[in-house]
Amino acid sequence: MDPNKKEDINGWCSKTEPFLGHNNENPVKDQNNEEIVQTSPEGKKLFQYIITLSASLIGMQSGMTLGWTSPILPFLNSKKSFILSLTEEETSWITSLLALGAILGAVPAGKIADFFGRKLAMALTAIPFLISWITLIFSRNIIGVYVARFVGGIGSGAACVLVPVYIGEIAQASIRGMLGTFFPLLFSFGIVFSYVMGAYLSYTSFNVSCCFVLTIFLVIIVFLPESPMWLVHREKKSQAVKVLKILRGVNYDVKEEISTLQDEADRLEAKRGGIMDLIGTKAGRKAFGTCLGLMWFQQMSGIDAVLFYTVRIFQNAGSTIEPFVATIVIGLIEVIMTICVVLIIDRFGRKPLLVISGVAMTLCLGVLGYYFKIKADGKDVLFLGWLPLTCLSLFNVVFSIGYGSVPFAMISELFPPETKGVASSISIMVHWSLVFAVTKLFPKMENVLGEATTFWTFACFTALSAAFAFFFVPETKGKTLQDIQKKLERKRKLIKDVQSV
């Protein structure tokens, strides 16, 4: 037998030679002076961070497409625009067609990932983004902008399904929450990128820069490993072992994790992973209801109305701060706070962050609505010119620490493998349907109800979001995917106590 090989589980052999990430400076040797490979039950985490960050780059594209309208709509309404006399209706379609495309992209994404694998599915997501940017670069009419926004939305919808699932399947339980926030973090980076580049570059140069960032992802995706869970389900156990050695380190003892994944694969033999498997169990119904609730309250907070129309909101508010600068400040704050969530989500848990987020958003939107109320009453608000930026900045802070990041992390945690694809697709479809409704109706709500009533309406939903998180969202901090399913199957002790009384 080759002395440079060690016997792995189930008879496989793997090289013990060092590779990137394998620290072999002080090897342990036996009495014959032969190296003994020590195994670690926990494994290393560096490659999990690197791979998660790389996969989340496609989320940056989603953020760019979403933030694109904020700096570009003022340009399209200016005298320099290639579109003459852009109407309010055309403006609303430019913003909302992204969401319609995202719904279409989310529908097949889960099934494509189940059939072709997570890696290839994520790579295919880059195609609609590429088509979108090229169309925007060369088209000079409203139809071209419509097509580009819709096609870019297809990529955004698919990315929001695929990346959280991939991250959830490659991450260890101890850092899964933290890694799950990488996608919304890069999403926020993409929004800020659009705010900055859109404010200071020409229309064409801005779209070219967005396309250039996409090429970085296309290069990196080639080197990403496939999901070990998907590999085991496809009876490619030897490849799954190699992937786990990359993700956890060569000294990681893969036996227990492979055994767990194999048990899951065996359990899935008789299941199709369709909608009936999703709602046919108590755990599935609870997980599905939780995800739909999180997506509902995330969007009904009005966050995408703020992101799509940030410059317009500041212009209407008569803020003393230059609207484009204020918009960039808002985006930077969201990025900074998402980074904070990365550091604290596995320490404080999901539920507390959601509750705090809901309560604080209610206060911010309530105060902002009051500002617009006194402005509409004709009172002097010049001395309060700082208030809109302060309210929206704090709103982004508290949104980011809870409802901005946690829902995407929990999508990858709450569902078993057989229903994760369809559940993620439906959840993201609901998410983007609400994005379409909010962004399409926001201008009309402002005109009919007024800014004050519009933001107070959002405040009512954020108040309800805090109650929903407190009473209905399960805590998943530090639990394995199997532990979460067992917890969802158990009856709530609170319900038992109420029934007893």
Side-chain angles (χ1 to χ4, degrees), residues 442-463:
F442 179 73
K444 295 182 179 178
M445 289 177 66
E446 280 190 319
N447 293 333
V448 175
L449 302 177
E451 287 93 345
T453 304
T454 298
F455 284 107
W456 283 338
T457 301
F458 291 142
C460 292
F461 283 111
T462 55

Side-chain angles (χ1 to χ4, degrees), residues 220-436:
I220 292 177
I221 188 67
V222 177
F223 302 98
L224 297 186
E226 183 54 85
S227 160
M229 182 176 290
W230 184 83
L231 290 171
V232 171
H233 291 169
R234 289 290 173 171
E235 299 181 354
K236 299 178 180 180
K237 193 181 292 185
S238 60
Q239 294 182 38
V241 171
K242 293 177 182 178
V243 169
L244 286 174
K245 289 290 186 180
I246 295 173
L247 293 170
R248 318 286 194 249
V250 292
N251 292 336
Y252 175 70
D253 185 2
V254 301
K255 180 181 292 188
E256 182 177 352
E257 188 165 353
I258 284 290
S259 177
T260 301
L261 295 177
Q262 186 61 60
D263 290 342
E264 284 291 320
D266 294 339
R267 185 176 64 83
L268 299 180
E269 285 293 327
K271 296 196 175 185
R272 296 173 298 174
I275 186 66
M276 293 310 298
D277 287 330
L278 176 62
I279 63 175
T281 64
K282 183 177 181 180
R285 291 190 295 272
K286 284 184 180 179
F288 191 49
T290 299
C291 272
L292 291 184
L294 290 173
M295 291 302 170
W296 167 267
F297 286 114
Q298 182 192 66
Q299 288 308 310
M300 296 312 292
S301 68
I303 181 61
D304 279 317
V306 172
L307 294 177
F308 276 82
Y309 296 100
T310 309
V311 173
R312 170 175 168 159
I313 291 171
F314 281 114
Q315 289 174 337
N316 291 344
S319 174
T320 55
I321 302 172
E322 206 279 321
F324 284 98
V325 174
T327 299
I328 294 171
V329 170
I330 293 293
L332 287 174
I333 289 174
E334 183 170 349
V335 170
I336 293 171
M337 292 312 302
T338 307
I339 293 174
C340 293
V341 174
V342 171
L343 301 176
I344 67 176
I345 188 170
D346 282 321
R347 177 173 297 182
F348 293 97
R350 285 61 159 160
K351 184 191 287 282
L353 295 178
L354 289 170
V355 173
I356 293 171
S357 178
V359 172
M361 283 192 296
T362 303
L363 296 175
C364 294
L365 292 172
V367 173
L368 182 61
Y370 180 71
Y371 171 86
F372 278 108
K373 175 67 168 60
I374 61 177
K375 181 176 182 292
D377 290 341
K379 297 180 181 179
D380 182 20
V381 293
L382 185 61
F383 71 101
L384 293 175
W386 52 270
L387 191 59
L389 176 60
T390 303
C391 287
L392 287 181
S393 297
L394 291 176
F395 173 77
N396 267 272
V397 167
V398 295
F399 174 81
S400 298
I401 66 171
Y403 273 92
S405 302
V406 173
F408 290 108
M410 295 196 73
I411 285 179
S412 65
E413 297 179 322
L414 290 176
F415 300 103
E418 70 270 21
T419 60
K420 189 171 292 185
V422 65
S424 298
S425 293
I426 294 175
S427 297
I428 298 302
M429 282 174 57
V430 171
H431 166 88
W432 285 106
S433 297
L434 292 170
V435 172
F436 171 76

Side-chain angles (χ1 to χ4, degrees), residues 43-96:
K44 297 181 179 180
K45 300 180 175 65
L46 176 61
F47 271 82
Q48 295 177 63
Y49 289 113
I50 295 174
I51 291 169
T52 299
L53 184 64
S54 301
S56 298
L57 283 175
I58 198 67
M60 190 172 178
Q61 289 290 310
S62 298
M64 288 177 187
T65 56
L66 192 145
W68 185 88
T69 54
S70 188
I72 293 301
L73 285 180
F75 165 76
L76 294 179
N77 281 290
S78 69
K79 296 180 180 180
K80 298 179 181 179
S81 173
F82 52 81
I83 300 174
L84 299 177
S85 302
L86 188 68
T87 66
E88 189 72 32
E89 184 68 14
E90 290 171 335
T91 298
S92 67
W93 278 114
I94 290 174
T95 58
S96 57

Side-chain angles (χ1 to χ4, degrees), residues 16-37:
T16 59
E17 59 191 18
F19 74 111
L20 184 59
H22 177 209
N23 185 354
N24 200 34
E25 294 178 354
N26 299 304
V28 179
K29 298 184 179 181
D30 61 14
Q31 60 185 2
N32 295 323
N33 202 35
E34 294 182 355
E35 181 180 340
I36 299 175
V37 178

Side-chain angles (χ1 to χ4, degrees), residues 130-172:
L130 184 62
I131 294 173
S132 175
W133 297 127
I134 291 176
T135 303
L136 289 172
I137 291 170
F138 294 103
S139 177
R140 287 296 179 271
N141 56 68
I142 188 67
I143 299 301
V145 175
Y146 283 165
V147 171
R149 296 292 291 164
F150 182 79
V151 175
I154 295 175
S156 295
C160 288
V161 172
L162 299 172
V163 179
V165 170
Y166 177 76
I167 293 172
E169 292 180 352
I170 68 169
Q172 290 178 276

